Amino acid sequence: MLTNLSPFTPSSYSSTIRFLKNKPKHHFSSSPSSSPLNSSSPSSNLSFLDRKQFPHEKIGFQLTNRKNIKTSALADFGFGGFESAQSVLEAVSVLTAIIVVHESGHFLAASLQGIRVSKFAVGFGPILAKFNANNVEYSLRAFPLGGFVGFPDNDPDSDIPVDDEDLLKNRPILDRVIVISAGVIANTIFAYLIIFAQIVFVGLPVQEAFPGVIIPEVRPFSAASRDGLLSGDVILSINDIGLPKTIPNSVSQVVDVIKKNPKSSVLFKIDRGGKDFVITVTPDQNSDGSGRIGVQLAPNVKILKEKPKDVLEAFSFTGREFWGLTSNVVDSLKQTVLNFSQSASKVSGPVAIIAVGAEVAKSNVDGLYQFAAILNLNLAVINLLPLPALDGGSLALILVEAARGGRKLPLEVEQGIMSSGITLVFVLGLFLIIRDTLNLDFIKDLL
């Protein structure tokens, strides 16, 4: 299970956003975006891993920044990690629901065709609770970041004859394609329903831009705090360069100026409570030589909620946002593949994803709609890649079988391909979990 996701920012979250006085466009991303200036990168890629059993071993969620949106650098997890138990629980619940939906797609597609299923597990690792019904073992496992649907095809303890026509491996190619594809289809449908629910119950966020960049947070003992910037200030210009309404260019413009001027005076014209002030800030220097002042930045916008007038408009809004978000997911995947050498160091694991989701829930519960929809679509898109341990890998093996005139690859070859992919991703997942845990703020404080 491998997916791509735009990073979420701790300041403010909205899904399906469009701008007043502009042509509606698919702005289904965290907005306003923010940029903590004590980090080394304006954006971050995240991913996480979970484990499944043959034949649908899917591993991980990957989050990549949306095109042209510069948001907070999550690599150092400066937003505080797991401060709220409730928000962490909400994030874990969202991820678990997505896994359950994915596995339910496989399970229902097999069951409705009369294909034998032996296990349905939520989570992976040690079993916490289980029960049996209709010859299927349903279990809840210790780590709720994965799941699997098990088939008795190659179970040495199974008393089902190996030539039983209801075993998945003995079914026609089309039947197996349906079962393998059903998880992706289920996540796609779920993403659409989430977007529809947000538009109907919460409304379509409509964003009106104003000149300048707002400062949602100033960190204590930072250069910004030392030199007089306050939370809520609006930066109107920097070094006498005015900041327009454009989003997110105004944020990146401020970021660039600060990074290029470590230990040099930077002139800010700010609006504070309707009055203009001029404040000089001297950025501190990062280890890489760039400047930082210790603030979060966000475009200066107002966000209103517009609910559809009728059912037809609700479907129209949903369709536009769904296809726009899907396009962004595909584009993010393409950019990640084409620039993997540069993005690999920013890949993160399940701990990072829960931390991001917890920040979304803590800042604005409405953002969980976006969090869930993006994860669903990313999971759907990435699982179609023809890689071992993904749905796309299983589909690729079936296509090879079809090209060979219905002759399967030798069992040991097929299992070798799948097991090697699973092993690689499991090792990577373990590495990411350890690294991301060590990057959490409260862990850093302990160390």
PDB file of all heavy atoms in Angstrom, residues 245-264:
ATOM      1  N   LYS A 245      -1.417  39.767  -3.697  1.00  0.00           N
ATOM      2  CA  LYS A 245      -2.418  38.813  -3.226  1.00  0.00           C
ATOM      3  C   LYS A 245      -2.110  37.390  -3.653  1.00  0.00           C
ATOM      4  O   LYS A 245      -2.748  36.459  -3.191  1.00  0.00           O
ATOM      5  CB  LYS A 245      -3.799  39.186  -3.766  1.00  0.00           C
ATOM      6  CG  LYS A 245      -4.344  40.509  -3.282  1.00  0.00           C
ATOM      7  CD  LYS A 245      -5.734  40.737  -3.871  1.00  0.00           C
ATOM      8  CE  LYS A 245      -6.326  42.067  -3.444  1.00  0.00           C
ATOM      9  NZ  LYS A 245      -7.673  42.275  -4.008  1.00  0.00           N
ATOM     10  N   THR A 246      -1.185  37.206  -4.561  1.00  0.00           N
ATOM     11  CA  THR A 246      -0.981  35.881  -5.152  1.00  0.00           C
ATOM     12  C   THR A 246      -0.649  34.844  -4.099  1.00  0.00           C
ATOM     13  O   THR A 246       0.096  35.104  -3.166  1.00  0.00           O
ATOM     14  CB  THR A 246       0.148  35.917  -6.191  1.00  0.00           C
ATOM     15  OG1 THR A 246       1.304  36.481  -5.589  1.00  0.00           O
ATOM     16  CG2 THR A 246      -0.263  36.739  -7.390  1.00  0.00           C
ATOM     17  N   ILE A 247      -1.196  33.662  -4.260  1.00  0.00           N
ATOM     18  CA  ILE A 247      -0.972  32.550  -3.340  1.00  0.00           C
ATOM     19  C   ILE A 247      -0.405  31.393  -4.147  1.00  0.00           C
ATOM     20  O   ILE A 247      -0.993  30.996  -5.148  1.00  0.00           O
ATOM     21  CB  ILE A 247      -2.297  32.125  -2.684  1.00  0.00           C
ATOM     22  CG1 ILE A 247      -2.873  33.298  -1.898  1.00  0.00           C
ATOM     23  CG2 ILE A 247      -2.102  30.934  -1.781  1.00  0.00           C
ATOM     24  CD1 ILE A 247      -4.228  33.018  -1.324  1.00  0.00           C
ATOM     25  N   PRO A 248       0.696  30.784  -3.772  1.00  0.00           N
ATOM     26  CA  PRO A 248       1.483  31.006  -2.552  1.00  0.00           C
ATOM     27  C   PRO A 248       2.724  31.860  -2.775  1.00  0.00           C
ATOM     28  O   PRO A 248       3.625  31.848  -1.961  1.00  0.00           O
ATOM     29  CB  PRO A 248       1.883  29.590  -2.186  1.00  0.00           C
ATOM     30  CG  PRO A 248       2.167  28.980  -3.538  1.00  0.00           C
ATOM     31  CD  PRO A 248       1.165  29.582  -4.501  1.00  0.00           C
ATOM     32  N   ASN A 249       2.795  32.587  -3.900  1.00  0.00           N
ATOM     33  CA  ASN A 249       4.038  33.276  -4.240  1.00  0.00           C
ATOM     34  C   ASN A 249       4.490  34.245  -3.168  1.00  0.00           C
ATOM     35  O   ASN A 249       5.686  34.433  -2.952  1.00  0.00           O
ATOM     36  CB  ASN A 249       3.861  34.016  -5.575  1.00  0.00           C
ATOM     37  CG  ASN A 249       3.632  33.051  -6.723  1.00  0.00           C
ATOM     38  OD1 ASN A 249       3.972  31.879  -6.615  1.00  0.00           O
ATOM     39  ND2 ASN A 249       3.061  33.532  -7.803  1.00  0.00           N
ATOM     40  N   SER A 250       3.564  34.912  -2.497  1.00  0.00           N
ATOM     41  CA  SER A 250       3.947  35.876  -1.481  1.00  0.00           C
ATOM     42  C   SER A 250       4.676  35.194  -0.327  1.00  0.00           C
ATOM     43  O   SER A 250       5.647  35.741   0.213  1.00  0.00           O
ATOM     44  CB  SER A 250       2.708  36.623  -0.967  1.00  0.00           C
ATOM     45  OG  SER A 250       1.726  35.709  -0.531  1.00  0.00           O
ATOM     46  N   VAL A 251       4.229  33.999   0.070  1.00  0.00           N
ATOM     47  CA  VAL A 251       4.895  33.267   1.144  1.00  0.00           C
ATOM     48  C   VAL A 251       6.302  32.871   0.727  1.00  0.00           C
ATOM     49  O   VAL A 251       7.274  33.084   1.460  1.00  0.00           O
ATOM     50  CB  VAL A 251       4.076  32.022   1.548  1.00  0.00           C
ATOM     51  CG1 VAL A 251       4.864  31.162   2.534  1.00  0.00           C
ATOM     52  CG2 VAL A 251       2.740  32.421   2.154  1.00  0.00           C
ATOM     53  N   SER A 252       6.438  32.294  -0.448  1.00  0.00           N
ATOM     54  CA  SER A 252       7.762  31.855  -0.903  1.00  0.00           C
ATOM     55  C   SER A 252       8.699  33.039  -1.103  1.00  0.00           C
ATOM     56  O   SER A 252       9.913  32.912  -0.910  1.00  0.00           O
ATOM     57  CB  SER A 252       7.630  31.055  -2.208  1.00  0.00           C
ATOM     58  OG  SER A 252       7.046  31.844  -3.221  1.00  0.00           O
ATOM     59  N   GLN A 253       8.153  34.190  -1.456  1.00  0.00           N
ATOM     60  CA  GLN A 253       8.972  35.379  -1.629  1.00  0.00           C
ATOM     61  C   GLN A 253       9.604  35.795  -0.297  1.00  0.00           C
ATOM     62  O   GLN A 253      10.802  36.108  -0.219  1.00  0.00           O
ATOM     63  CB  GLN A 253       8.113  36.515  -2.185  1.00  0.00           C
ATOM     64  CG  GLN A 253       8.891  37.773  -2.527  1.00  0.00           C
ATOM     65  CD  GLN A 253       7.999  38.817  -3.188  1.00  0.00           C
ATOM     66  OE1 GLN A 253       6.863  38.540  -3.569  1.00  0.00           O
ATOM     67  NE2 GLN A 253       8.509  40.019  -3.327  1.00  0.00           N
ATOM     68  N   VAL A 254       8.806  35.785   0.776  1.00  0.00           N
ATOM     69  CA  VAL A 254       9.324  36.118   2.104  1.00  0.00           C
ATOM     70  C   VAL A 254      10.360  35.076   2.541  1.00  0.00           C
ATOM     71  O   VAL A 254      11.422  35.414   3.077  1.00  0.00           O
ATOM     72  CB  VAL A 254       8.181  36.208   3.132  1.00  0.00           C
ATOM     73  CG1 VAL A 254       8.724  36.422   4.540  1.00  0.00           C
ATOM     74  CG2 VAL A 254       7.225  37.335   2.765  1.00  0.00           C
ATOM     75  N   VAL A 255      10.035  33.806   2.328  1.00  0.00           N
ATOM     76  CA  VAL A 255      10.956  32.727   2.699  1.00  0.00           C
ATOM     77  C   VAL A 255      12.306  32.909   2.005  1.00  0.00           C
ATOM     78  O   VAL A 255      13.366  32.803   2.637  1.00  0.00           O
ATOM     79  CB  VAL A 255      10.344  31.354   2.338  1.00  0.00           C
ATOM     80  CG1 VAL A 255      11.381  30.250   2.542  1.00  0.00           C
ATOM     81  CG2 VAL A 255       9.115  31.072   3.168  1.00  0.00           C
ATOM     82  N   ASP A 256      12.277  33.195   0.715  1.00  0.00           N
ATOM     83  CA  ASP A 256      13.522  33.327  -0.046  1.00  0.00           C
ATOM     84  C   ASP A 256      14.380  34.477   0.463  1.00  0.00           C
ATOM     85  O   ASP A 256      15.606  34.347   0.588  1.00  0.00           O
ATOM     86  CB  ASP A 256      13.211  33.522  -1.533  1.00  0.00           C
ATOM     87  CG  ASP A 256      12.635  32.283  -2.186  1.00  0.00           C
ATOM     88  OD1 ASP A 256      12.809  31.187  -1.607  1.00  0.00           O
ATOM     89  OD2 ASP A 256      12.006  32.399  -3.253  1.00  0.00           O
ATOM     90  N   VAL A 257      13.750  35.612   0.757  1.00  0.00           N
ATOM     91  CA  VAL A 257      14.511  36.771   1.235  1.00  0.00           C
ATOM     92  C   VAL A 257      15.175  36.456   2.573  1.00  0.00           C
ATOM     93  O   VAL A 257      16.351  36.765   2.791  1.00  0.00           O
ATOM     94  CB  VAL A 257      13.601  38.002   1.372  1.00  0.00           C
ATOM     95  CG1 VAL A 257      14.346  39.144   2.077  1.00  0.00           C
ATOM     96  CG2 VAL A 257      13.123  38.463   0.003  1.00  0.00           C
ATOM     97  N   ILE A 258      14.431  35.836   3.483  1.00  0.00           N
ATOM     98  CA  ILE A 258      14.983  35.524   4.808  1.00  0.00           C
ATOM     99  C   ILE A 258      16.116  34.515   4.701  1.00  0.00           C
ATOM    100  O   ILE A 258      17.162  34.650   5.348  1.00  0.00           O
ATOM    101  CB  ILE A 258      13.868  34.998   5.731  1.00  0.00           C
ATOM    102  CG1 ILE A 258      12.875  36.123   6.028  1.00  0.00           C
ATOM    103  CG2 ILE A 258      14.431  34.442   7.026  1.00  0.00           C
ATOM    104  CD1 ILE A 258      11.633  35.677   6.755  1.00  0.00           C
ATOM    105  N   LYS A 259      15.944  33.485   3.884  1.00  0.00           N
ATOM    106  CA  LYS A 259      16.988  32.473   3.760  1.00  0.00           C
ATOM    107  C   LYS A 259      18.273  33.044   3.165  1.00  0.00           C
ATOM    108  O   LYS A 259      19.369  32.570   3.470  1.00  0.00           O
ATOM    109  CB  LYS A 259      16.490  31.311   2.900  1.00  0.00           C
ATOM    110  CG  LYS A 259      15.497  30.410   3.622  1.00  0.00           C
ATOM    111  CD  LYS A 259      15.217  29.155   2.812  1.00  0.00           C
ATOM    112  CE  LYS A 259      14.387  28.167   3.619  1.00  0.00           C
ATOM    113  NZ  LYS A 259      14.164  26.900   2.906  1.00  0.00           N
ATOM    114  N   LYS A 260      18.140  34.067   2.326  1.00  0.00           N
ATOM    115  CA  LYS A 260      19.323  34.633   1.666  1.00  0.00           C
ATOM    116  C   LYS A 260      20.025  35.698   2.511  1.00  0.00           C
ATOM    117  O   LYS A 260      21.061  36.230   2.085  1.00  0.00           O
ATOM    118  CB  LYS A 260      18.916  35.239   0.314  1.00  0.00           C
ATOM    119  CG  LYS A 260      18.488  34.211  -0.711  1.00  0.00           C
ATOM    120  CD  LYS A 260      18.008  34.885  -1.991  1.00  0.00           C
ATOM    121  CE  LYS A 260      17.550  33.836  -3.009  1.00  0.00           C
ATOM    122  NZ  LYS A 260      17.008  34.478  -4.241  1.00  0.00           N
ATOM    123  N   ASN A 261      19.475  36.002   3.688  1.00  0.00           N
ATOM    124  CA  ASN A 261      20.039  37.088   4.478  1.00  0.00           C
ATOM    125  C   ASN A 261      20.328  36.691   5.927  1.00  0.00           C
ATOM    126  O   ASN A 261      19.865  37.352   6.870  1.00  0.00           O
ATOM    127  CB  ASN A 261      19.094  38.294   4.458  1.00  0.00           C
ATOM    128  CG  ASN A 261      19.057  38.984   3.119  1.00  0.00           C
ATOM    129  OD1 ASN A 261      19.927  39.803   2.804  1.00  0.00           O
ATOM    130  ND2 ASN A 261      18.056  38.649   2.314  1.00  0.00           N
ATOM    131  N   PRO A 262      21.085  35.605   6.144  1.00  0.00           N
ATOM    132  CA  PRO A 262      21.433  35.269   7.527  1.00  0.00           C
ATOM    133  C   PRO A 262      22.339  36.345   8.134  1.00  0.00           C
ATOM    134  O   PRO A 262      23.266  36.841   7.484  1.00  0.00           O
ATOM    135  CB  PRO A 262      22.165  33.934   7.384  1.00  0.00           C
ATOM    136  CG  PRO A 262      22.731  33.957   6.005  1.00  0.00           C
ATOM    137  CD  PRO A 262      21.721  34.704   5.179  1.00  0.00           C
ATOM    138  N   LYS A 263      22.029  36.732   9.372  1.00  0.00           N
ATOM    139  CA  LYS A 263      22.821  37.725  10.121  1.00  0.00           C
ATOM    140  C   LYS A 263      22.876  39.083   9.436  1.00  0.00           C
ATOM    141  O   LYS A 263      23.776  39.890   9.710  1.00  0.00           O
ATOM    142  CB  LYS A 263      24.238  37.187  10.363  1.00  0.00           C
ATOM    143  CG  LYS A 263      24.272  35.930  11.215  1.00  0.00           C
ATOM    144  CD  LYS A 263      25.714  35.504  11.500  1.00  0.00           C
ATOM    145  CE  LYS A 263      25.719  34.275  12.410  1.00  0.00           C
ATOM    146  NZ  LYS A 263      27.099  33.850  12.749  1.00  0.00           N
ATOM    147  N   SER A 264      21.918  39.345   8.542  1.00  0.00           N
ATOM    148  CA  SER A 264      21.812  40.645   7.880  1.00  0.00           C
ATOM    149  C   SER A 264      20.438  41.233   8.171  1.00  0.00           C
ATOM    150  O   SER A 264      19.453  40.501   8.298  1.00  0.00           O
ATOM    151  CB  SER A 264      22.010  40.513   6.368  1.00  0.00           C
ATOM    152  OG  SER A 264      23.285  39.989   6.067  1.00  0.00           O
TER     153      SER A 264
END
